[in-house]
Amino acid sequence: MKTEDILKTASKLVSGDRAKAYGDKKKLHDKTAKMWSAFLGYTIHAEQVAHMMVMLKIARTTTGTSADSYIDAAAYISIGGEINGQ
């Protein structure tokens, strides 16, 4: 899969069906950050949730080759950038 295809697919996912299914990305990552913070006992921020999800997707690439992991990693890093205001 070419770089452009990965990025186009990731963009479609975060602004298409998944956006409709899961709602506002910032709100969802804020909610996840609060839950992870409560579980861990220290504060996690929404942008860090996106970063950690990228790391999960990278870890999955070590178990085999799946375009989905690369697409999802690209989607999560873009969400982190959006949350950060980039």
Side-chain angles (χ1 to χ4, degrees):
M1 184 173 252
K2 293 188 175 199
T3 302
E4 295 83 9
D5 297 329
I6 292 170
L7 293 172
K8 284 178 188 175
T9 304
S11 179
K12 287 179 187 175
L13 289 175
V14 298
S15 58
D17 291 341
R18 289 188 186 171
K20 291 175 189 168
Y22 301 127
D24 182 83
K25 296 179 289 288
K26 172 82 164 88
K27 287 181 183 177
L28 178 61
H29 282 67
D30 280 336
K31 183 184 287 187
T32 304
K34 287 178 185 173
M35 294 173 71
W36 287 4
S37 294
F39 180 80
L40 294 169
Y42 57 88
T43 303
I44 299 290
H45 301 283
E47 183 182 10
Q48 292 171 306
V49 170
H51 292 167
M52 289 190 283
M53 292 304 295
V54 170
M55 288 185 269
L56 170 69
K57 298 303 179 172
I58 291 169
R60 285 187 177 169
T61 67
T62 66
T63 64
T65 55
S66 170
D68 288 346
S69 293
Y70 290 98
I71 292 165
D72 288 347
Y76 278 115
I77 201 67
S78 67
I79 290 169
E82 183 177 324
I83 290 170
N84 184 275
Q86 301 298 317

